[in-house]
Amino acid sequence: MITCSAPGKVYLFGEHAVVYGEPAICCAVDIRTRINVAPADSIIISSSLGTTGIDFEVHPYVSAVVERFQNMSSLEGVSISIESEIPVGSGLGSSAAVTIATIKALDSLLGIGLELDDIARMGHEIEQRIQGAASQTDTYVCTMGGVVMIPQRKVLDLIDCSIVVGNTNIFSSTKELVANVAELNEKFPDVVGPVLSSIGKMSVTGEELVNAKDYVSIGKLMNINQGLLDAIGVGCSELSSFTYAARDSGAYGAKITGAGGGGCMVAIAPHELVGGVAAAIASAGGEVVVTKATDIGVRVESL
Ligand code: MEV
């Protein structure tokens, strides 16, 4: 059996604006999806959602990866099991992680030898096939690990403060939220356009701050980014109350991560205050994950 894993991710800056070509800064986090593969007579995919063959309803991303490998190799049967620490549909990159880890696992099983850039590209094509539209952000960061500026694909220094995620457990559709922003942008281009480009400028400024490890300033910019995400209609009252709870208990800064409308927020905090920040988000009703940045992207865990 071969086991491969890939990390989740949070956005420090730039979700939604990245869809319009603006830069974003994303950070791989130390919560992972693991994929085990072994030779089998037929296609068997199992997860907490059940056991299926190729099935685009239950296991869309893994099914698409298997089809892709069937088109480029003689793959007929394989058993794939999925174990994930990343909450599904929460903006933490669960679909990218499952896609990228499955590509690496099948690549290792079949001895194809894909480069990391090929894996990231294939992962992005698969996300686009399943979701209709997706930026390259999630698949690239989860392949490479670390803190990455997109679309430049520039690797920045790893941040070494604490990262706290607050999950609203409210399902939100990335596709719908991206469409809502597009509608707003069409209706008020002179208003929404500058908001999106201002978010992009935060990533440009954020690049220097990340490399300087200036977490106080990064936090301030994250708070401004949150205000602009609210302005384009992707906030919700739960995300607002978690971000205020985090800031009031000593976080450097806090904002939505991902598409918004539900899903998760992220706070960065000094290590010594992380317990208080986590408790404040929890008492505001959030499901909390305390984590840290990781520079370990997709990897083979055992052969
Ligand atoms: C979703 O995690 C992030 C968005 O910017 C969409 C994308 O980048 O594909 C809203």
Side-chain angles (χ1 to χ4, degrees), residues 2 69 73 103-114 303:
I2 294 173
F69 276 83
S73 72
I103 294 172
K104 182 71 183 169
L106 289 182
D107 175 64
S108 308
L109 186 74
L110 300 167
I112 295 174
L114 293 173
L303 282 172

Side-chain angles (χ1 to χ4, degrees), residues 236-259:
C236 68
S237 57
E238 289 82 355
L239 288 167
S240 289
S241 93
F242 299 176
T243 51
Y244 280 111
R247 291 174 198 167
D248 291 347
S249 54
Y252 294 119
K255 60 179 273 296
I256 290 164
T257 177

Side-chain angles (χ1 to χ4, degrees), residues 112-184:
I112 295 174
L114 293 173
E115 301 289 337
L116 287 179
D117 275 335
D118 301 327
I119 292 176
R121 193 174 317 110
M122 191 186 288
H124 181 219
E125 286 164 11
I126 284 167
E127 273 211 335
Q128 282 183 312
R129 174 179 170 195
I130 301 300
Q131 294 175 12
S135 73
Q136 56 167 307
T137 324
D138 290 20
T139 37
Y140 191 78
V141 174
C142 134
T143 304
M144 305 298 172
V147 181
V148 180
M149 193 163 182
I150 294 288
Q152 293 81 352
R153 299 184 166 202
K154 207 189 267 184
V155 178
L156 312 184
D157 283 2
L158 202 62
I159 60 170
D160 56 13
C161 58
S162 289
I163 297 175
V164 188
V165 171
N167 191 349
T168 62
N169 280 314
I170 299 170
F171 175 79
S172 70
S173 153
T174 300
K175 202 170 171 177
E176 260 173 45
L177 284 148
V178 169
N180 292 348
V181 173
E183 202 180 306
L184 209 60

Side-chain angles (χ1 to χ4, degrees), residues 63-73 121-122 125-126 129:
S63 296
V65 174
V66 170
E67 275 197 356
R68 187 66 184 261
F69 276 83
Q70 283 180 323
N71 290 338
M72 59 191 233
S73 72
R121 193 174 317 110
M122 191 186 288
E125 286 164 11
I126 284 167
R129 174 179 170 195

Side-chain angles (χ1 to χ4, degrees), residues 15 27 46 50 63 74 83 94 107 111 120 134 138 140 159 178 181-182 186 205 212-213 219 259 273 280 283 295:
E15 52 272 270
C27 171
S46 56
S63 296
S74 56
E83 294 160 28
S94 60
D107 175 64
D138 290 20
Y140 191 78
I159 60 170
V178 169
V181 173
E186 252 169 54
T205 310
K213 301 197 181 303
L273 297 183
S283 66
D295 57 4

